Amino acid sequence: MAKSILFLPDISGFTEFVEETEVNHSQHVIAELLEILIESNIAEMELAEIEGDALFFYSEESIPSQEILLAQITSMFTAFYSHLDLFRENRVCPCNACAKAPDLKLKIIAHCGEVEHIVVKGKRKPFGRKVIEAHRLLKNTVKGDSYALLTKELAEEVDLSFYYFSKIFHFKEGENKYDGKNLEYIYSFIDPLKLNLKPVPTVKTFVPDKKPNIHLHRRMNRSAAKLHSLIMDFSIRPQWIKGVDRFVFDGNKVNRMGTRHLCVINGKNLSFTTIKKAVEPSQLVYGEHTTDASPFKKYYQIYIITPISDIDCKLKVEVYWTMKWSIFGRILEPLVKRKVRRNILESLELLDAI
């Protein structure tokens, strides 16, 4: 039987992350990162299992070359830390889950050997001693959180020196005893600063060049953080935004600057993009922008939340727009303004009642 590779990317700090942060957003953050790792599987390994905070890949009776193996490891670390930069730079949510997401780390365990298989609910999965060893190695004595660990058996199979050194890798030897048996390995810490991380898409903070066309104030019967969370949550929008058929969005991703969602009104899709506006340090802010809403050329709606106490806050809504038609738009604008104002007031009543 030919040898197979076993490959386990594992998100370090996941347990503490879930215990200490908001569960809903932490699940979205982890799901996004796992998807990113799956998409960066350039060696085209089979995905055997998603194991909470880890992925289990394998290639049956096939081991990538040294070059492909190191490229695969580099690809996953690069994709992972690039996405953490996206969380860091484009965050709009103040919750602990979103704030602590950039602190997560990645480790990769890789092993090889002859592997048996079992069939569970019609799905064929690797099984046996080598699989157990690979999973045992997730708990090791390496003093760090961001590293790649390859068993010496795998290193020898791909002719990789135990002391291989490059810009990204600097391998050292290590070993741990599991079930009375020593497992020898090499490992290299991975420094994100040495990776060619993808640039974060630039999403500019909204800076108005005029006074808002509409501004409304309302005291809300909930904490500032809770209100901010409700406004950001697209799944709750149908409960308080009036006149909309439905909202279309990716429920597996955390809302952040640059996030897009569709607002369907009378069968027409209006694309909205999440934005921010500079506010006081004590305030929370959330905003959206569209160029699809007739008769507007551009439309911005900003929610600014000021805490009052643990159970209530002050909400200010600012709306900025430019009309599509200069002369006709000016004639129409007072009517439009009254309608938009009335719709917002009705929506805030519904929001406060949730």
CSV table of all heavy atoms in Angstrom, one decimal, residues 216-270:
chain,number,residue,atom,x,y,z
A,216,LEU,N,-32.5,62.7,12.2
A,216,LEU,CA,-33.6,62.4,13.2
A,216,LEU,C,-32.9,61.9,14.5
A,216,LEU,O,-31.8,61.3,14.5
A,216,LEU,CB,-34.5,61.3,12.7
A,216,LEU,CG,-35.2,61.6,11.4
A,216,LEU,CD1,-35.8,60.3,10.8
A,216,LEU,CD2,-36.3,62.6,11.6
A,217,HIS,N,-33.5,62.2,15.6
A,217,HIS,CA,-33.0,61.8,16.9
A,217,HIS,C,-34.1,61.0,17.6
A,217,HIS,O,-35.3,61.3,17.5
A,217,HIS,CB,-32.7,63.0,17.8
A,217,HIS,CG,-31.5,63.8,17.3
A,217,HIS,ND1,-30.2,63.6,17.6
A,217,HIS,CD2,-31.5,64.8,16.4
A,217,HIS,CE1,-29.5,64.5,17.0
A,217,HIS,NE2,-30.2,65.2,16.2
A,218,ARG,N,-33.7,59.9,18.3
A,218,ARG,CA,-34.7,59.1,19.1
A,218,ARG,C,-34.0,58.4,20.2
A,218,ARG,O,-32.9,57.8,20.0
A,218,ARG,CB,-35.4,58.1,18.2
A,218,ARG,CG,-36.4,57.2,18.9
A,218,ARG,CD,-37.0,56.2,18.0
A,218,ARG,NE,-37.9,55.3,18.8
A,218,ARG,CZ,-39.2,55.4,18.9
A,218,ARG,NH1,-39.8,56.4,18.2
A,218,ARG,NH2,-39.9,54.6,19.6
A,219,ARG,N,-34.6,58.4,21.4
A,219,ARG,CA,-34.1,57.7,22.5
A,219,ARG,C,-34.6,56.2,22.4
A,219,ARG,O,-35.8,56.0,22.1
A,219,ARG,CB,-34.6,58.2,23.8
A,219,ARG,CG,-33.9,57.6,25.1
A,219,ARG,CD,-34.1,58.5,26.3
A,219,ARG,NE,-33.5,58.0,27.4
A,219,ARG,CZ,-33.1,58.7,28.5
A,219,ARG,NH1,-33.2,60.0,28.4
A,219,ARG,NH2,-32.6,58.1,29.5
A,220,MET,N,-33.7,55.2,22.5
A,220,MET,CA,-34.0,53.8,22.3
A,220,MET,C,-33.9,53.1,23.6
A,220,MET,O,-32.9,53.3,24.4
A,220,MET,CB,-33.1,53.2,21.2
A,220,MET,CG,-33.1,54.0,19.9
A,220,MET,SD,-34.6,54.0,19.0
A,220,MET,CE,-34.5,52.3,18.2
A,221,ASN,N,-34.8,52.1,23.7
A,221,ASN,CA,-34.8,51.4,25.0
A,221,ASN,C,-34.0,50.1,25.0
A,221,ASN,O,-34.5,49.0,25.2
A,221,ASN,CB,-36.3,51.0,25.3
A,221,ASN,CG,-37.2,52.2,25.5
A,221,ASN,OD1,-36.8,53.2,26.2
A,221,ASN,ND2,-38.3,52.3,24.8
A,222,ARG,N,-32.7,50.3,24.8
A,222,ARG,CA,-31.7,49.2,24.9
A,222,ARG,C,-30.3,49.8,24.9
A,222,ARG,O,-30.1,50.9,24.6
A,222,ARG,CB,-31.9,48.2,23.7
A,222,ARG,CG,-31.9,48.8,22.3
A,222,ARG,CD,-32.1,47.8,21.2
A,222,ARG,NE,-33.0,46.8,21.5
A,222,ARG,CZ,-34.3,46.8,21.3
A,222,ARG,NH1,-34.9,47.9,20.9
A,222,ARG,NH2,-35.0,45.7,21.6
A,223,SER,N,-29.4,48.9,25.2
A,223,SER,CA,-28.0,49.4,25.3
A,223,SER,C,-27.5,49.8,23.9
A,223,SER,O,-28.0,49.3,22.9
A,223,SER,CB,-27.1,48.3,25.9
A,223,SER,OG,-26.9,47.3,25.0
A,224,ALA,N,-26.5,50.6,23.9
A,224,ALA,CA,-25.9,51.1,22.6
A,224,ALA,C,-25.3,49.9,21.8
A,224,ALA,O,-25.5,49.8,20.6
A,224,ALA,CB,-24.8,52.1,22.9
A,225,ALA,N,-24.7,48.9,22.5
A,225,ALA,CA,-24.1,47.8,21.9
A,225,ALA,C,-25.2,46.9,21.3
A,225,ALA,O,-25.0,46.4,20.2
A,225,ALA,CB,-23.2,47.0,22.9
A,226,LYS,N,-26.3,46.7,22.0
A,226,LYS,CA,-27.3,45.8,21.5
A,226,LYS,C,-28.0,46.5,20.3
A,226,LYS,O,-28.3,45.8,19.3
A,226,LYS,CB,-28.4,45.6,22.6
A,226,LYS,CG,-29.6,44.8,22.2
A,226,LYS,CD,-29.2,43.4,21.8
A,226,LYS,CE,-30.4,42.5,21.5
A,226,LYS,NZ,-30.0,41.2,20.9
A,227,LEU,N,-28.2,47.8,20.4
A,227,LEU,CA,-28.9,48.5,19.2
A,227,LEU,C,-28.0,48.4,18.0
A,227,LEU,O,-28.4,48.1,16.9
A,227,LEU,CB,-29.2,49.9,19.6
A,227,LEU,CG,-29.8,50.8,18.5
A,227,LEU,CD1,-31.2,50.2,18.1
A,227,LEU,CD2,-29.9,52.2,18.9
A,228,HIS,N,-26.7,48.6,18.2
A,228,HIS,CA,-25.7,48.5,17.1
A,228,HIS,C,-25.8,47.2,16.4
A,228,HIS,O,-25.8,47.0,15.2
A,228,HIS,CB,-24.3,48.9,17.6
A,228,HIS,CG,-23.3,49.1,16.5
A,228,HIS,ND1,-22.6,48.0,16.0
A,228,HIS,CD2,-23.0,50.2,15.8
A,228,HIS,CE1,-21.7,48.5,15.1
A,228,HIS,NE2,-22.0,49.8,14.9
A,229,SER,N,-25.8,46.1,17.3
A,229,SER,CA,-25.9,44.7,16.8
A,229,SER,C,-27.1,44.5,16.0
A,229,SER,O,-27.1,43.8,14.9
A,229,SER,CB,-25.8,43.8,17.9
A,229,SER,OG,-25.9,42.4,17.5
A,230,LEU,N,-28.3,45.0,16.5
A,230,LEU,CA,-29.5,44.8,15.7
A,230,LEU,C,-29.5,45.5,14.4
A,230,LEU,O,-30.0,44.9,13.4
A,230,LEU,CB,-30.7,45.4,16.6
A,230,LEU,CG,-31.1,44.6,17.8
A,230,LEU,CD1,-32.1,45.4,18.6
A,230,LEU,CD2,-31.6,43.2,17.5
A,231,ILE,N,-29.0,46.7,14.3
A,231,ILE,CA,-29.0,47.5,13.1
A,231,ILE,C,-28.1,46.8,12.1
A,231,ILE,O,-28.4,46.7,10.9
A,231,ILE,CB,-28.5,48.9,13.3
A,231,ILE,CG1,-29.6,49.7,14.1
A,231,ILE,CG2,-28.2,49.6,12.0
A,231,ILE,CD1,-29.1,51.1,14.6
A,232,MET,N,-27.0,46.2,12.5
A,232,MET,CA,-26.0,45.5,11.6
A,232,MET,C,-26.5,44.2,11.1
A,232,MET,O,-26.1,43.7,10.1
A,232,MET,CB,-24.7,45.3,12.4
A,232,MET,CG,-23.8,46.5,12.5
A,232,MET,SD,-22.3,46.0,13.2
A,232,MET,CE,-21.7,44.6,12.1
A,233,ASP,N,-27.5,43.6,11.8
A,233,ASP,CA,-27.9,42.2,11.5
A,233,ASP,C,-28.9,42.2,10.4
A,233,ASP,O,-30.1,42.5,10.6
A,233,ASP,CB,-28.5,41.6,12.8
A,233,ASP,CG,-28.7,40.1,12.7
A,233,ASP,OD1,-28.8,39.6,11.5
A,233,ASP,OD2,-28.9,39.4,13.7
A,234,PHE,N,-28.5,41.7,9.2
A,234,PHE,CA,-29.4,41.7,8.1
A,234,PHE,C,-30.6,40.8,8.3
A,234,PHE,O,-31.6,41.0,7.7
A,234,PHE,CB,-28.6,41.3,6.8
A,234,PHE,CG,-27.5,42.3,6.4
A,234,PHE,CD1,-26.3,41.8,5.9
A,234,PHE,CD2,-27.7,43.7,6.5
A,234,PHE,CE1,-25.3,42.7,5.6
A,234,PHE,CE2,-26.7,44.5,6.1
A,234,PHE,CZ,-25.5,44.0,5.7
A,235,SER,N,-30.4,39.7,9.0
A,235,SER,CA,-31.5,38.7,9.2
A,235,SER,C,-32.7,39.3,10.0
A,235,SER,O,-33.8,38.8,9.9
A,235,SER,CB,-30.9,37.5,10.0
A,235,SER,OG,-30.6,37.8,11.3
A,236,ILE,N,-32.4,40.4,10.7
A,236,ILE,CA,-33.5,41.1,11.5
A,236,ILE,C,-34.2,42.2,10.7
A,236,ILE,O,-35.2,42.7,11.0
A,236,ILE,CB,-32.9,41.6,12.8
A,236,ILE,CG1,-32.5,40.4,13.6
A,236,ILE,CG2,-34.0,42.3,13.6
A,236,ILE,CD1,-31.8,40.8,14.9
A,237,ARG,N,-33.5,42.6,9.6
A,237,ARG,CA,-34.0,43.8,8.8
A,237,ARG,C,-35.5,43.7,8.5
A,237,ARG,O,-36.3,44.7,8.6
A,237,ARG,CB,-33.2,43.9,7.6
A,237,ARG,CG,-31.8,44.4,7.8
A,237,ARG,CD,-31.8,45.9,8.2
A,237,ARG,NE,-30.5,46.4,8.6
A,237,ARG,CZ,-29.6,46.9,7.7
A,237,ARG,NH1,-30.0,47.1,6.4
A,237,ARG,NH2,-28.5,47.3,8.1
A,238,PRO,N,-36.0,42.5,8.0
A,238,PRO,CA,-37.5,42.5,7.7
A,238,PRO,C,-38.4,42.8,8.8
A,238,PRO,O,-39.6,43.2,8.6
A,238,PRO,CB,-37.6,41.0,7.2
A,238,PRO,CG,-36.3,40.5,6.8
A,238,PRO,CD,-35.4,41.2,7.8
A,239,GLN,N,-37.9,42.7,10.0
A,239,GLN,CA,-38.8,43.0,11.2
A,239,GLN,C,-39.0,44.5,11.4
A,239,GLN,O,-39.9,44.9,12.1
A,239,GLN,CB,-38.2,42.4,12.5
A,239,GLN,CG,-38.1,40.9,12.4
A,239,GLN,CD,-37.6,40.3,13.7
A,239,GLN,OE1,-37.9,40.8,14.8
A,239,GLN,NE2,-36.7,39.3,13.6
A,240,TRP,N,-38.1,45.3,10.8
A,240,TRP,CA,-38.2,46.8,11.1
A,240,TRP,C,-38.1,47.7,9.9
A,240,TRP,O,-38.4,48.9,10.0
A,240,TRP,CB,-37.3,47.2,12.2
A,240,TRP,CG,-35.8,47.0,12.0
A,240,TRP,CD1,-35.0,45.9,12.1
A,240,TRP,CD2,-34.9,48.1,11.6
A,240,TRP,NE1,-33.7,46.1,11.7
A,240,TRP,CE2,-33.6,47.5,11.4
A,240,TRP,CE3,-35.0,49.4,11.3
A,240,TRP,CZ2,-32.5,48.2,11.1
A,240,TRP,CZ3,-33.9,50.1,10.9
A,240,TRP,CH2,-32.6,49.5,10.8
A,241,ILE,N,-37.6,47.2,8.8
A,241,ILE,CA,-37.5,48.1,7.6
A,241,ILE,C,-38.8,47.9,6.8
A,241,ILE,O,-39.1,46.8,6.4
A,241,ILE,CB,-36.2,47.7,6.8
A,241,ILE,CG1,-35.0,48.0,7.5
A,241,ILE,CG2,-36.3,48.5,5.5
A,241,ILE,CD1,-34.6,49.4,7.8
A,242,LYS,N,-39.5,48.9,6.6
A,242,LYS,CA,-40.8,48.8,5.9
A,242,LYS,C,-40.6,48.9,4.4
A,242,LYS,O,-39.7,49.5,3.9
A,242,LYS,CB,-41.7,50.0,6.4
A,242,LYS,CG,-42.1,49.9,7.9
A,242,LYS,CD,-43.3,50.7,8.2
A,242,LYS,CE,-44.5,50.1,7.5
A,242,LYS,NZ,-45.8,50.9,7.8
A,243,GLY,N,-41.6,48.2,3.7
A,243,GLY,CA,-41.7,48.3,2.3
A,243,GLY,C,-40.7,47.5,1.5
A,243,GLY,O,-40.5,47.7,0.3
A,244,VAL,N,-40.0,46.6,2.1
A,244,VAL,CA,-39.0,45.8,1.5
A,244,VAL,C,-39.5,44.3,1.3
A,244,VAL,O,-40.0,43.7,2.2
A,244,VAL,CB,-37.6,45.7,2.2
A,244,VAL,CG1,-36.6,44.9,1.6
A,244,VAL,CG2,-37.1,47.2,2.4
A,245,ASP,N,-39.3,43.8,0.1
A,245,ASP,CA,-39.7,42.4,-0.2
A,245,ASP,C,-38.9,41.4,0.6
A,245,ASP,O,-39.4,40.5,1.3
A,245,ASP,CB,-39.7,42.1,-1.7
A,245,ASP,CG,-40.5,43.0,-2.5
A,245,ASP,OD1,-41.5,43.5,-2.0
A,245,ASP,OD2,-40.2,43.2,-3.7
A,246,ARG,N,-37.6,41.6,0.5
A,246,ARG,CA,-36.6,40.7,1.2
A,246,ARG,C,-35.2,41.3,1.1
A,246,ARG,O,-34.9,42.2,0.3
A,246,ARG,CB,-36.6,39.3,0.6
A,246,ARG,CG,-36.2,39.2,-0.9
A,246,ARG,CD,-36.6,37.9,-1.5
A,246,ARG,NE,-36.4,37.9,-2.9
A,246,ARG,CZ,-35.2,37.4,-3.5
A,246,ARG,NH1,-34.3,36.9,-2.7
A,246,ARG,NH2,-35.1,37.4,-4.8
A,247,PHE,N,-34.3,40.7,1.9
A,247,PHE,CA,-32.9,41.1,1.9
A,247,PHE,C,-32.1,39.9,1.5
A,247,PHE,O,-32.4,38.7,2.0
A,247,PHE,CB,-32.5,41.6,3.3
A,247,PHE,CG,-33.1,42.9,3.7
A,247,PHE,CD1,-34.3,42.9,4.4
A,247,PHE,CD2,-32.4,44.1,3.5
A,247,PHE,CE1,-34.9,44.1,4.8
A,247,PHE,CE2,-33.0,45.3,3.8
A,247,PHE,CZ,-34.2,45.3,4.5
A,248,VAL,N,-31.1,40.1,0.7
A,248,VAL,CA,-30.3,39.0,0.2
A,248,VAL,C,-28.8,39.3,0.7
A,248,VAL,O,-28.3,40.3,0.4
A,248,VAL,CB,-30.3,38.9,-1.3
A,248,VAL,CG1,-29.4,37.7,-1.8
A,248,VAL,CG2,-31.7,38.7,-1.8
A,249,PHE,N,-28.3,38.3,1.5
A,249,PHE,CA,-26.9,38.6,2.1
A,249,PHE,C,-26.3,37.2,2.4
A,249,PHE,O,-27.0,36.2,2.4
A,249,PHE,CB,-27.1,39.4,3.3
A,249,PHE,CG,-27.9,38.8,4.4
A,249,PHE,CD1,-27.3,38.0,5.4
A,249,PHE,CD2,-29.3,38.9,4.4
A,249,PHE,CE1,-28.1,37.4,6.4
A,249,PHE,CE2,-30.1,38.3,5.3
A,249,PHE,CZ,-29.5,37.6,6.3
A,250,ASP,N,-25.0,37.2,2.6
A,250,ASP,CA,-24.3,36.0,3.0
A,250,ASP,C,-24.3,35.9,4.5
A,250,ASP,O,-23.6,36.6,5.2
A,250,ASP,CB,-22.8,36.1,2.5
A,250,ASP,CG,-22.1,34.8,2.7
A,250,ASP,OD1,-22.5,34.0,3.5
A,250,ASP,OD2,-21.0,34.6,2.0
A,251,GLY,N,-25.1,35.0,5.0
A,251,GLY,CA,-25.3,34.9,6.5
A,251,GLY,C,-24.1,34.2,7.2
A,251,GLY,O,-24.1,34.2,8.4
A,252,ASN,N,-23.1,33.7,6.4
A,252,ASN,CA,-22.0,33.1,7.0
A,252,ASN,C,-20.8,34.0,7.2
A,252,ASN,O,-19.8,33.6,7.7
A,252,ASN,CB,-21.5,31.9,6.2
A,252,ASN,CG,-22.5,30.8,6.2
A,252,ASN,OD1,-23.1,30.5,7.2
A,252,ASN,ND2,-22.7,30.2,5.0
A,253,LYS,N,-21.0,35.3,6.9
A,253,LYS,CA,-19.9,36.3,7.0
A,253,LYS,C,-20.3,37.4,7.9
A,253,LYS,O,-21.5,37.8,8.0
A,253,LYS,CB,-19.5,36.8,5.7
A,253,LYS,CG,-18.9,35.7,4.8
A,253,LYS,CD,-18.4,36.3,3.5
A,253,LYS,CE,-17.7,35.3,2.6
A,253,LYS,NZ,-17.2,35.8,1.4
A,254,VAL,N,-19.3,37.9,8.7
A,254,VAL,CA,-19.6,39.1,9.5
A,254,VAL,C,-19.7,40.3,8.7
A,254,VAL,O,-18.9,40.6,7.8
A,254,VAL,CB,-18.4,39.2,10.6
A,254,VAL,CG1,-18.6,40.4,11.4
A,254,VAL,CG2,-18.3,37.9,11.4
A,255,ASN,N,-20.6,41.2,9.0
A,255,ASN,CA,-20.8,42.4,8.3
A,255,ASN,C,-19.6,43.4,8.7
A,255,ASN,O,-19.3,43.6,9.8
A,255,ASN,CB,-22.1,43.1,8.8
A,255,ASN,CG,-22.5,44.3,8.0
A,255,ASN,OD1,-21.8,44.7,7.1
A,255,ASN,ND2,-23.7,44.8,8.2
A,256,ARG,N,-19.0,43.9,7.7
A,256,ARG,CA,-17.9,44.9,7.9
A,256,ARG,C,-17.8,45.9,6.7
A,256,ARG,O,-18.6,45.8,5.8
A,256,ARG,CB,-16.5,44.1,8.0
A,256,ARG,CG,-16.3,43.2,6.8
A,256,ARG,CD,-14.9,42.5,6.9
A,256,ARG,NE,-14.8,41.4,5.9
A,256,ARG,CZ,-15.1,40.1,6.2
A,256,ARG,NH1,-15.5,39.8,7.4
A,256,ARG,NH2,-14.9,39.2,5.2
A,257,MET,N,-16.9,46.8,6.8
A,257,MET,CA,-16.8,47.8,5.7
A,257,MET,C,-16.6,47.1,4.4
A,257,MET,O,-15.7,46.2,4.3
A,257,MET,CB,-15.7,48.8,6.0
A,257,MET,CG,-16.0,49.8,7.1
A,257,MET,SD,-14.6,50.9,7.5
A,257,MET,CE,-14.6,51.9,5.9
A,258,GLY,N,-17.4,47.5,3.4
A,258,GLY,CA,-17.3,46.9,2.1
A,258,GLY,C,-18.2,45.7,1.9
A,258,GLY,O,-18.4,45.3,0.7
A,259,THR,N,-18.9,45.2,2.9
A,259,THR,CA,-19.9,44.2,2.8
A,259,THR,C,-21.0,44.7,2.0
A,259,THR,O,-21.5,45.8,2.1
A,259,THR,CB,-20.4,43.7,4.2
A,259,THR,OG1,-19.3,43.1,4.9
A,259,THR,CG2,-21.5,42.7,4.0
A,260,ARG,N,-21.5,43.8,1.0
A,260,ARG,CA,-22.6,44.2,0.2
A,260,ARG,C,-23.9,43.3,0.5
A,260,ARG,O,-23.7,42.1,0.8
A,260,ARG,CB,-22.3,44.0,-1.3
A,260,ARG,CG,-21.2,45.0,-1.8
A,260,ARG,CD,-20.9,44.8,-3.2
A,260,ARG,NE,-19.9,45.7,-3.7
A,260,ARG,CZ,-20.1,46.9,-4.1
A,260,ARG,NH1,-21.3,47.4,-4.2
A,260,ARG,NH2,-19.0,47.7,-4.5
A,261,HIS,N,-25.0,43.9,0.4
A,261,HIS,CA,-26.3,43.1,0.5
A,261,HIS,C,-27.3,43.7,-0.4
A,261,HIS,O,-27.2,44.9,-0.8
A,261,HIS,CB,-26.8,43.1,2.0
A,261,HIS,CG,-27.4,44.4,2.4
A,261,HIS,ND1,-26.6,45.4,2.9
A,261,HIS,CD2,-28.7,44.8,2.4
A,261,HIS,CE1,-27.4,46.4,3.3
A,261,HIS,NE2,-28.7,46.1,3.0
A,262,LEU,N,-28.3,42.9,-0.8
A,262,LEU,CA,-29.3,43.4,-1.7
A,262,LEU,C,-30.6,43.6,-0.9
A,262,LEU,O,-31.0,42.8,-0.1
A,262,LEU,CB,-29.6,42.3,-2.8
A,262,LEU,CG,-28.5,42.1,-3.8
A,262,LEU,CD1,-28.9,41.0,-4.8
A,262,LEU,CD2,-28.1,43.4,-4.6
A,263,CYS,N,-31.2,44.7,-1.2
A,263,CYS,CA,-32.5,45.1,-0.7
A,263,CYS,C,-33.5,45.0,-1.9
A,263,CYS,O,-33.3,45.8,-2.8
A,263,CYS,CB,-32.4,46.5,-0.1
A,263,CYS,SG,-34.0,47.1,0.6
A,264,VAL,N,-34.4,44.1,-1.8
A,264,VAL,CA,-35.3,43.8,-3.0
A,264,VAL,C,-36.6,44.6,-2.7
A,264,VAL,O,-37.4,44.2,-1.7
A,264,VAL,CB,-35.6,42.3,-3.2
A,264,VAL,CG1,-36.4,42.1,-4.4
A,264,VAL,CG2,-34.3,41.6,-3.3
A,265,ILE,N,-37.0,45.5,-3.5
A,265,ILE,CA,-38.2,46.3,-3.4
A,265,ILE,C,-38.9,46.3,-4.7
A,265,ILE,O,-38.4,46.7,-5.8
A,265,ILE,CB,-37.9,47.8,-3.0
A,265,ILE,CG1,-37.1,47.9,-1.7
A,265,ILE,CG2,-39.2,48.6,-2.9
A,265,ILE,CD1,-36.6,49.3,-1.4
A,266,ASN,N,-40.2,45.7,-4.6
A,266,ASN,CA,-41.0,45.6,-5.8
A,266,ASN,C,-40.3,44.8,-6.9
A,266,ASN,O,-40.3,45.2,-8.1
A,266,ASN,CB,-41.5,47.0,-6.4
A,266,ASN,CG,-42.4,47.7,-5.4
A,266,ASN,OD1,-43.2,47.1,-4.7
A,266,ASN,ND2,-42.2,49.0,-5.3
A,267,GLY,N,-39.5,43.8,-6.5
A,267,GLY,CA,-38.8,43.0,-7.5
A,267,GLY,C,-37.5,43.6,-8.0
A,267,GLY,O,-36.8,42.9,-8.8
A,268,LYS,N,-37.2,44.8,-7.6
A,268,LYS,CA,-35.9,45.4,-8.0
A,268,LYS,C,-34.8,45.3,-7.0
A,268,LYS,O,-35.1,45.5,-5.8
A,268,LYS,CB,-36.2,46.9,-8.3
A,268,LYS,CG,-34.9,47.6,-8.9
A,268,LYS,CD,-35.2,49.1,-9.2
A,268,LYS,CE,-34.0,49.8,-9.7
A,268,LYS,NZ,-34.2,51.2,-10.0
A,269,ASN,N,-33.6,44.9,-7.4
A,269,ASN,CA,-32.5,44.7,-6.5
A,269,ASN,C,-31.7,46.0,-6.3
A,269,ASN,O,-31.2,46.6,-7.3
A,269,ASN,CB,-31.5,43.7,-7.1
A,269,ASN,CG,-32.1,42.3,-7.1
A,269,ASN,OD1,-33.1,42.0,-6.3
A,269,ASN,ND2,-31.6,41.4,-7.9
A,270,LEU,N,-31.6,46.5,-5.1
A,270,LEU,CA,-30.8,47.6,-4.7
A,270,LEU,C,-29.6,47.1,-4.0
A,270,LEU,O,-29.8,46.5,-2.9
A,270,LEU,CB,-31.6,48.6,-3.9
A,270,LEU,CG,-33.0,49.1,-4.4
A,270,LEU,CD1,-33.6,50.1,-3.5
A,270,LEU,CD2,-32.9,49.6,-5.8
